[in-house]
Amino acid sequence: MIRRIDRIQTELPPPSDPDPAGAAAVQELLGGKFGEMSTFLNYTFQSFNFRNKQGARPFYDLVANIAAEEFGHVELVAKTINTMLTGATPTTTTNGRGPGSPLEPMLGIGNPHHFLAGGQGALPQNSQGRPWDGDYVFSSGDLVEDLTHNFFLETGARNGKLKVYEMVEHPAARALTGFLLVRGGVHQVAYARAIELLTGADLMKMFPAPRIPTDKIPECKPHIKRGEHLKLYRFSPSDYLELAAVFKGPHPETGEELEVVEEAPEGVPAYDLPSQPAVFAPDYAPEEIAAIAEKLRKQAGLSKSPSGEVANGKGSATASKPRRAARKPKAAAKK
Amino acid sequence: MIRRIDRIQTELPPPSDPDPAGAAAVQELLGGKFGEMSTFLNYTFQSFNFRNKQGARPFYDLVANIAAEEFGHVELVAKTINTMLTGATPTTTTNGRGPGSPLEPMLGIGNPHHFLAGGQGALPQNSQGRPWDGDYVFSSGDLVEDLTHNFFLETGARNGKLKVYEMVEHPAARALTGFLLVRGGVHQVAYARAIELLTGADLMKMFPAPRIPTDKIPECKPHIKRGEHLKLYRFSPSDYLELAAVFKGPHPETGEELEVVEEAPEGVPAYDLPSQPAVFAPDYAPEEIAAIAEKLRKQAGLSKSPSGEVANGKGSATASKPRRAARKPKAAAKK
Amino acid sequence: MIRRIDRIQTELPPPSDPDPAGAAAVQELLGGKFGEMSTFLNYTFQSFNFRNKQGARPFYDLVANIAAEEFGHVELVAKTINTMLTGATPTTTTNGRGPGSPLEPMLGIGNPHHFLAGGQGALPQNSQGRPWDGDYVFSSGDLVEDLTHNFFLETGARNGKLKVYEMVEHPAARALTGFLLVRGGVHQVAYARAIELLTGADLMKMFPAPRIPTDKIPECKPHIKRGEHLKLYRFSPSDYLELAAVFKGPHPETGEELEVVEEAPEGVPAYDLPSQPAVFAPDYAPEEIAAIAEKLRKQAGLSKSPSGEVANGKGSATASKPRRAARKPKAAAKK
Amino acid sequence: MIRRIDRIQTELPPPSDPDPAGAAAVQELLGGKFGEMSTFLNYTFQSFNFRNKQGARPFYDLVANIAAEEFGHVELVAKTINTMLTGATPTTTTNGRGPGSPLEPMLGIGNPHHFLAGGQGALPQNSQGRPWDGDYVFSSGDLVEDLTHNFFLETGARNGKLKVYEMVEHPAARALTGFLLVRGGVHQVAYARAIELLTGADLMKMFPAPRIPTDKIPECKPHIKRGEHLKLYRFSPSDYLELAAVFKGPHPETGEELEVVEEAPEGVPAYDLPSQPAVFAPDYAPEEIAAIAEKLRKQAGLSKSPSGEVANGKGSATASKPRRAARKPKAAAKK
Amino acid sequence: MIRRIDRIQTELPPPSDPDPAGAAAVQELLGGKFGEMSTFLNYTFQSFNFRNKQGARPFYDLVANIAAEEFGHVELVAKTINTMLTGATPTTTTNGRGPGSPLEPMLGIGNPHHFLAGGQGALPQNSQGRPWDGDYVFSSGDLVEDLTHNFFLETGARNGKLKVYEMVEHPAARALTGFLLVRGGVHQVAYARAIELLTGADLMKMFPAPRIPTDKIPECKPHIKRGEHLKLYRFSPSDYLELAAVFKGPHPETGEELEVVEEAPEGVPAYDLPSQPAVFAPDYAPEEIAAIAEKLRKQAGLSKSPSGEVANGKGSATASKPRRAARKPKAAAKK
Amino acid sequence: MIRRIDRIQTELPPPSDPDPAGAAAVQELLGGKFGEMSTFLNYTFQSFNFRNKQGARPFYDLVANIAAEEFGHVELVAKTINTMLTGATPTTTTNGRGPGSPLEPMLGIGNPHHFLAGGQGALPQNSQGRPWDGDYVFSSGDLVEDLTHNFFLETGARNGKLKVYEMVEHPAARALTGFLLVRGGVHQVAYARAIELLTGADLMKMFPAPRIPTDKIPECKPHIKRGEHLKLYRFSPSDYLELAAVFKGPHPETGEELEVVEEAPEGVPAYDLPSQPAVFAPDYAPEEIAAIAEKLRKQAGLSKSPSGEVANGKGSATASKPRRAARKPKAAAKK
């Protein structure tokens, strides 16, 4: 079971210039073979299927607990994509003069499903628009083999994050990849250490893989400074108590001691991203929904204003502010 | 973000007669188009992509919170499948005389990946062995449309649960479907009510769909007796405070008042399912892993015995006890 | 555009012993790569995409017209599968004592989606339960190449029909394959002749492919006797007038002259297959729907009894009559 | 069975400026999850699989009849795509100097299969180039559930049509979406009413969904003016006589009375789209095919000139007239 | 480029009792994610894509050369499946009395495509009948990462081979898995050593994975006795000369020295498997093809009898000898 | 079994201006339905599955031998794509200042997996980024039908090659398509002749298909001049001796006599394509790998410099020379 907290694991910037082409690329980190849905669901299924978990408890706790952190990574990638898509369509509606052509500037740019199927929101697809697939889950039940898979998966995931970093300069994408590279690195280390403790094989010598030290990446530095590359958080108020039996010893790159933090990180509130009425998200006339919501709160004896915590203040953000036009394809933009 | 609790939402029986053919059928409730991965990931993506959530907070809270409960449903289906597969292979190994033919009785029965790819564990596949697919996620961003989808999805899910109930008599499968029919019914009602409050359309008249009253099903009765068909739990220690603005009014079948419970259910510990060394889960010699785990706990200053809470007691369950042979195909078994 | 006629192209027998394993095999002729959805949709897309059709009118007419016949073949395969599945579940409901286990005998037999996803009805899937896929459509726009494809497709389709004939003895399946072998043969000849007329290549020498003469197959004989192997029907009241410019000359196997029939066949009414309440088709209590329907007819000033033409008489066939148990897997059944 | 009429349901403009990027987007309405192949094949399979249709005749007639109209919608989308692709490659061939680079301007624009696999023609794919899939068909057999699905499907389809309208300004795309929005709206209403009559649930209050009134869209207005938003045509010379038992009552948006028209619309002839020899459609030297066709007509005793009815006159349209270059990607084109 | 030799890498027994259910399971080793198509095509693509191969020549040679051996493994699995399917249908034809029901005993047993789509032959599918997919190829270009993948792939492949060994007792399957376990083990060692030499990580401590020593398996013993677990063959008359720079040092399980053999193994001729006329392989009347072949040989001045080398002698094996009935599903067979 | 030769079948130019959009289009010839993976694996599986090959030896030899040539075609397409992608990212690294944005110019251009998943290398995907699929393999076992398929496959493949030729002007792509058109034409002829000899059908009259004579294409001419359109090479040192029994008679376009060459072509060395450190291929610091390789060669007693034969000289090509920026999208580039 889970409990859900309406916060995200690291700060993302508010929407700025939209970048639909960049958002399409970031999808690789969501629905790609090595994206966060894969890490989340691999470890989740492995934890569901773990046999004799009392006998192998420290390893069960490790896999089950990392799964919980990965949910938050899926969430972060989705929020990043949503941020990058915000403002790609105009928010001033045509006042009853029909829908017009607000999506026309998006024709041929990015993932067409961001506009034609979704509401300028993230999808379980990769950078090519192909859906995530259950075949990406590996759960053999053999503990050493599953851990080997997980180490390989994290290595492929680090490769993907580095490449998306190199391709997409949008500030939300950079905030995302800077954070994920540090936290993904922790998981890569954790699985390598687990294999070492079970078999004696010294996978630590393979770090960093790919061979770009994380601390050279500007967006990683603040996280490293806070020691985030060394900490494994326990994402449970009550369980997974044996993490420290596995997650310990020196970090393969820095030699610093790995550390288990016995509670989950606090996280930060996310921005409440504004409506995009051109794609009917959440409606062509979002203010009507807001009025209904207020009335319902009143009927239920709740506060007049909405209760949730968001980065941009309590009030309603019915429509996005006008922004600059969506990002052009590179070659054209350079003219 | 989530916090994870190492408990499941309802009691499942311990392993009894294995039923690999039944387990293959139950996969429909896991990786099928209308299975729990679909409900979980649909609502999760919709909550990630929700725009102007302050403006539509009660509806956001509803979708985001139900998503959290659905994670536990995915877990329950997986645990059920694992229970049904336990004991399908012998647990006495051949003591160094090679692997033998322990999987031979499984040839042609059930989902071959349960044995050839996985370790007698659940997979993100449907009853035909086809992987779950990101195309099953609908997240248009349009609130009324997403809710309409969710109502339809829950209706299809109820149909699937009823049919799996009718096909699979294994006690774990019946415990599962009995519980899921009640809880899924709550979600079906919740989405119908949300649409009603937004549009005025009275979908309550469509209940029950399919037209079998839940309270006629023996395995549903204990849950209904406890009022589980009326309660929406808040699966968060801190957030999703506006559920009561939407989840209210009479239940469409019984007329009883719907109720928001301001905390998550406690759940129960799951059984620690025994090793199945013939498929190397968690190893061909699971006792070696147990010895390493014990040593690591000691080194970390943790208790000698494992810390986790399991339904079958604290100790290590290295190997499953011998059981009767796996379920035969129906026709044959009846001879 | 089409007009639809509520009749089928050849007689199928009424439901007899159910054969779910056979029905799963017959799906190959529906959703397989060489099934009727493929023939129907290949020719349909080719006709939609035909360029300069005035310049190549006889060939356009041929492809567009055969497409229309193929719709009826898809229908026939679906009806056959439905016939074979009828009676596989009991039709006496449990009178309010809950759903019971009516699908339990079907566990592990046939395509599980026939019961768990559908209502004992046909699905756009092949004999392995894999969905039909748009990749099976070939529409290059190059006329000679499209015709070459079509000749190959019909050859593969004939192979598939022969093999399903050899595997499935159920009378509905045999009635189906006997008919389709004759009619598919006509299309195979038609495309071969079209290529011959365009290029001079004498594909007629490749008949029959596979090398089993159709007239050796008992279920084909009545159709051959009526000359169905020689006739191309014009499936339009007004169009596709130039068929005779291509469909002419001797039949490659018999030497008889090919013939264009300037109207579509009359067809026969299909059986109205009975309800299968265990899978809620069309409902758990189908008599309630019948009552509503009667009331609606009355309100609309229509006749009291239903207007449609069905093979088994005008009345309502609310529930299927009890039948013998579903077909056992072969090996078991022979004990 | 069907009869085919060589006409389309509404007028489309002749080819003008080609728009391959727009054509790629319009594919969503053909092969997307909510495209016309989905509506056509969902209702078709549901009608094939309908059990006890005498008992539920008005509902059977409704589903079966709408299926027939949908075939024509698939056709219209295909014709639109073909129109938009016409002229994207040069039609003057290089006179024996080899094939040259006529497709080079299309590199990186639109769906590459429009040129590399097809002959500048429509494909059963969505806007991302992914094939349509049999998994998009829902046919549970449960009448209320199937109708609920259909209502949801039409709602998703309306969303898709609106978004394609907003993205693609090409006159053929606008003519298409203007028409489909009106006709799809009729089906959305029809399924809502059917559910209402079966269950009492008032889905009419959900209209319009998405919340853009159809009558605000300029390209819809002429169709609305002719009352096309109120009429359900009977697409059969003989059958589906009970439509009026269900399709009746006030239109949810306008209050006008719904109306069954007891014959299918006449339709209009389509343009005969010119050859595109660069992609060999229908040949690299289409005039040779025309000569053969003429000869064959003569041999068959048919008229010298082709018999078909096309919007642009009886004569042969061997090659397309030179047109302006294909549409540039938006951003570039604006320079 | 390749040169092809018409021999297989190890002896397989001649056809004996057919085992279609076993053949369906063995497909996992052909078209499964960890099957031989995956090993073959992964290493092949990695070798095609290798950048700066002069700089990393020993590693390039290793990957490119193992790819070549893997082709032969794909061949072996295919031959095994074909052997197991031989005799599953009767070989005496019905002498012009039509095709009969020769496939009827196969209904519901094994992979239906073995009979309905193929000619009792191997398919690029897994044990569930799902096609092999290009997504199974990993070729990141990063040498350490590709090698990590390959080590993981071989580990998963060893798991799969062990499980197929445990499930399928047919002598051809056992001959296959006995051989592949030994040869796959060599590749697993080779990639581990390559990683060790590049990074220092000692993966050798992970052997055997899964933890069943190969030398306990009876069917592996003869190969081990001949030292096949230590040898890397050079599968090229001229190239891949630097294998010995990587493939060296002690075997992780036995401590024996690894060895490069500077030529490919000789192999053995395969059995010429008999015709199966019921599935038209190679024809319904294979003797006619044989007569044509003989005539063509004569016209070309070749020897009268066929030239190829086969395990069962030079002559023509037109039809398979009658065999016992196909294997029953386990449970049934044990009655 | 195969032997591998480290050479390619025809000369490809060295890297020049990168063309990622063109490389994405060329993927159609690799992983498309009619690409070289399809020809290679179709003939390979057909040869594996051939029954009674002694009886039909000339035809077996033909199919098995062409399969071997096709491997080299897959290789050629991969090398072409790699050549076109070379230089698309900068090769001067940022010297420890983090990874920067070297992939940013590639955003929205070509196949994103070329950069985000692979290392600027070929993938088993088509021009839309969809993976190659085992469903593309046809192996019915029926000899005439398999040959009919192969003739159709080669016809579709020729269509695809012509269209890629017309779309992509990059010199590597033109060298590739010029060669493949000639060699693919030989296979098209071979299968047509085989069918003719078995059935008498004169498919030769269908040439050329599509109707562009190969000898009009400048890049084909040098190959035709050397007679490559007439020769079938025997790709085996020892086997497939009966090719001449089938591959004989006049070429359908030129009337020249077809010819079997009793040995495989020599081929030419490929260029060693330079490292692309921005995508870590083969590493972020490829010189470190080169140093390790040199040390390992020394330890193994091999020559100091690498042993392989490459088109650009023996030395190490650590990094690619700076090149011009990657190709712009067409429309933009023309400004």
Side-chain angles (χ1 to χ4, degrees), chain B residues 77-159:
Chain B
V77 185
K79 293 290 184 199
T80 300
I81 291 167
N82 296 345
T83 301
M84 296 169 79
L85 292 171
T86 297
T89 56
T91 56
T92 51
T93 56
T94 57
N95 287 325
R97 278 175 294 112
S101 305
L103 305 186
E104 204 276 342
M106 296 296 103
L107 182 60
I109 295 177
N111 182 333
H113 268 202
H114 280 159
F115 300 94
L116 297 182
Q120 291 175 222
L123 295 165
Q125 301 183 348
N126 72 3
S127 63
Q128 303 170 311
R130 279 198 281 125
W132 187 89
D133 190 303
D135 236 18
Y136 294 161
V137 170
F138 183 82
S139 175
S140 75
D142 180 321
L143 179 56
V144 172
E145 193 172 335
D146 283 359
L147 293 170
T148 306
H149 165 270
N150 297 354
F151 173 74
F152 165 64
L153 179 64
E154 291 288 350
T155 303
R158 189 171 190 274
N159 186 319

Side-chain angles (χ1 to χ4, degrees), chain B residues 11-288:
Chain B
E11 269 184 61
L12 294 175
S16 52
D17 284 359
D19 183 1
V26 174
Q27 284 280 163
E28 191 68 22
L29 302 185
L30 186 54
K33 200 167 165 182
F34 294 90
E36 300 296 337
M37 284 185 73
S38 284
T39 51
F40 169 51
L41 287 165
N42 266 283
Y43 311 151
T44 296
F45 268 84
Q46 288 173 15
S47 66
F48 288 164
N49 293 341
F50 212 103
R51 290 184 171 278
N52 191 14
K53 61 184 174 185
Q54 285 302 79
R57 175 60 68 172
F59 302 98
Y60 170 73
D61 283 1
L62 188 80
V63 172
N65 183 70
I66 293 180
E69 178 169 358
E70 298 290 8
F71 178 92
H73 292 184
V74 180
E75 186 176 36
L76 273 176
V77 185
K79 293 290 184 199
T80 300
I81 291 167
N82 296 345
T83 301
M84 296 169 79
L85 292 171
T86 297
T89 56
T91 56
T92 51
T93 56
T94 57
N95 287 325
R97 278 175 294 112
S101 305
L103 305 186
E104 204 276 342
M106 296 296 103
L107 182 60
I109 295 177
N111 182 333
H113 268 202
H114 280 159
F115 300 94
L116 297 182
Q120 291 175 222
L123 295 165
Q125 301 183 348
N126 72 3
S127 63
Q128 303 170 311
R130 279 198 281 125
W132 187 89
D133 190 303
D135 236 18
Y136 294 161
V137 170
F138 183 82
S139 175
S140 75
D142 180 321
L143 179 56
V144 172
E145 193 172 335
D146 283 359
L147 293 170
T148 306
H149 165 270
N150 297 354
F151 173 74
F152 165 64
L153 179 64
E154 291 288 350
T155 303
R158 189 171 190 274
N159 186 319
K161 289 162 195 168
L162 283 167
K163 285 172 171 174
V164 169
Y165 180 96
E166 292 183 327
M167 186 177 272
V168 188
E169 291 177 333
H170 189 281
R174 286 281 164 104
L176 174 79
T177 46
F179 178 77
L180 290 182
L181 279 162
V182 174
R183 294 304 307 159
V186 170
H187 300 166
Q188 206 182 5
V189 169
Y191 290 125
R193 177 82 2 113
I195 293 168
E196 186 183 354
L197 293 172
L198 276 168
T199 69
D202 185 7
L203 275 69
M204 292 301 173
K205 292 189 174 145
M206 297 174 73
F207 285 82
R211 298 212 163 250
I212 293 183
T214 307
D215 60 14
K216 295 294 186 208
I217 301 169
E219 289 81 357
C220 296
K221 286 183 186 171
H223 303 296
I224 291 174
K225 207 166 168 184
R226 286 201 318 279
E228 294 292 326
H229 61 305
L230 300 172
K231 295 175 188 165
L232 189 67
Y233 295 94
R234 193 155 62 77
F235 275 80
S236 177
S238 51
D239 303 310
Y240 317 118
L241 301 167
E242 303 192 8
L243 299 172
V246 178
F247 193 76
K248 61 178 186 180
H251 187 282
E253 292 180 66
T254 69
E256 299 162 288
E257 191 70 16
L258 300 173
E259 172 192 357
V260 171
V261 180
E262 294 291 348
E263 57 189 356
E266 269 198 8
V268 295
Y271 278 88
D272 183 14
L273 298 177
S275 304
Q276 298 279 204
V279 291
F280 326 127
D283 197 275
Y284 187 62
E287 61 282 2
E288 295 178 15

Side-chain angles (χ1 to χ4, degrees), chain A:
Chain A
M1 294 197 296
I2 60 172
R3 306 287 179 263
R4 193 165 176 188
I5 314 287
D6 202 17
R7 296 183 139 218
I8 55 176
Q9 290 181 5
T10 195
E11 269 184 60
L12 293 176
S16 51
D17 285 358
D19 183 2
V26 173
Q27 284 279 162
E28 191 70 23
L29 301 185
L30 186 54
K33 198 170 166 180
F34 295 90
E36 299 296 338
M37 285 185 73
S38 284
T39 51
F40 170 51
L41 287 165
N42 266 282
Y43 311 152
T44 295
F45 268 84
Q46 288 173 15
S47 65
F48 289 163
N49 293 341
F50 213 103
R51 292 185 169 276
N52 191 13
K53 61 185 176 183
Q54 284 304 77
R57 175 60 68 171
F59 301 98
Y60 170 73
D61 282 1
L62 188 80
V63 171
N65 184 69
I66 293 180
E69 178 168 0
E70 299 291 7
F71 178 93
H73 292 183
V74 180
E75 185 176 38
L76 273 175
V77 184
K79 293 289 184 199
T80 299
I81 290 168
N82 296 345
T83 302
M84 296 169 78
L85 291 171
T86 298
T89 56
T91 56
T92 51
T93 55
T94 58
N95 287 323
R97 277 174 294 111
S101 305
L103 305 187
E104 202 276 343
M106 296 298 101
L107 181 60
I109 296 178
N111 182 334
H113 269 202
H114 281 159
F115 300 93
L116 296 182
Q120 293 177 218
L123 296 165
Q125 300 183 348
N126 72 3
S127 62
Q128 302 170 310
R130 277 197 280 126
W132 186 88
D133 190 304
D135 236 17
Y136 294 163
V137 169
F138 183 82
S139 176
S140 75
D142 179 321
L143 179 56
V144 171
E145 194 171 335
D146 283 359
L147 293 170
T148 305
H149 165 269
N150 296 353
F151 173 74
F152 165 64
L153 179 64
E154 290 288 351
T155 302
R158 190 171 190 274
N159 186 320
K161 289 163 194 166
L162 283 166
K163 285 172 172 173
V164 169
Y165 180 97
E166 291 182 330
M167 187 177 271
V168 188
E169 290 178 333
H170 190 282
R174 286 283 163 100
L176 173 80
T177 46
F179 177 76
L180 289 182
L181 280 162
V182 173
R183 293 306 303 161
V186 169
H187 300 166
Q188 205 182 7
V189 168
Y191 290 124
R193 178 81 2 113
I195 294 168
E196 186 182 354
L197 293 171
L198 277 167
T199 68
D202 184 7
L203 274 69
M204 292 300 173
K205 291 187 173 145
M206 296 175 74
F207 285 83
R211 299 213 162 251
I212 293 182
T214 307
D215 62 12
K216 294 296 186 206
I217 300 169
E219 287 82 358
C220 295
K221 286 183 187 174
H223 303 296
I224 291 176
K225 208 165 166 184
R226 286 201 317 279
E228 294 292 326
H229 60 307
L230 300 173
K231 295 174 188 164
L232 190 67
Y233 294 95
R234 193 153 62 76
F235 275 80
S236 177
S238 50
D239 303 309
Y240 316 118
L241 300 167
E242 302 193 11
L243 300 172
V246 178
F247 193 75
K248 62 179 185 177
H251 187 282
E253 291 180 65
T254 69
E256 298 162 286
E257 191 68 17
L258 300 173
E259 174 191 355
V260 171
V261 180
E262 296 289 350
E263 59 189 355
E266 269 197 9
V268 295
Y271 277 89
D272 182 14
L273 297 178
S275 304
Q276 299 279 205
V279 291
F280 326 127
D283 196 277
Y284 188 62
E287 61 284 1
E288 294 178 15
I289 291 180
I292 293 170
E294 197 179 319
K295 192 186 65 185
L296 292 171
R297 258 197 307 275
K298 200 174 160 188
Q299 290 173 352
L302 297 168
S303 68
K304 185 164 190 266
S305 60
S307 62
E309 185 192 24
V310 297
N312 43 350
K314 282 274 180 177
S316 166
T318 304
S320 71
K321 275 153 264 144
R323 303 204 174 276
R324 273 180 274 161
R327 180 200 194 87
K328 306 294 176 303
K330 252 329 78 172
K334 280 174 175 161
K335 292 300 160 69

Side-chain angles (χ1 to χ4, degrees), chain A residues 52-55 57, chain B residues 269-273 305-318:
Chain A
N52 191 13
K53 61 185 176 183
Q54 284 304 77
R57 175 60 68 171
Chain B
Y271 278 88
D272 183 14
L273 298 177
S305 60
S307 60
E309 186 191 22
V310 296
N312 43 349
K314 281 274 178 177
S316 165
T318 304

Side-chain angles (χ1 to χ4, degrees), chain D residues 165-251:
Chain D
Y165 180 96
E166 291 183 328
M167 187 177 270
V168 188
E169 290 177 334
H170 189 282
R174 287 281 164 103
L176 174 79
T177 46
F179 177 77
L180 290 182
L181 279 161
V182 173
R183 295 303 306 160
V186 170
H187 300 166
Q188 206 181 6
V189 169
Y191 290 125
R193 179 79 6 111
I195 293 168
E196 187 183 352
L197 293 172
L198 277 167
T199 69
D202 184 7
L203 274 70
M204 292 300 173
K205 293 191 173 142
M206 297 174 74
F207 286 82
R211 299 214 163 251
I212 293 183
T214 307
D215 61 12
K216 294 296 184 206
I217 300 169
E219 288 82 358
C220 296
K221 286 182 188 173
H223 303 296
I224 291 174
K225 207 166 167 184
R226 287 200 318 277
E228 295 290 327
H229 60 305
L230 301 172
K231 294 175 190 164
L232 189 67
Y233 295 95
R234 193 155 60 79
F235 275 80
S236 178
S238 50
D239 304 309
Y240 317 118
L241 301 167
E242 302 192 9
L243 299 173
V246 178
F247 192 75
K248 61 178 185 178
H251 188 282

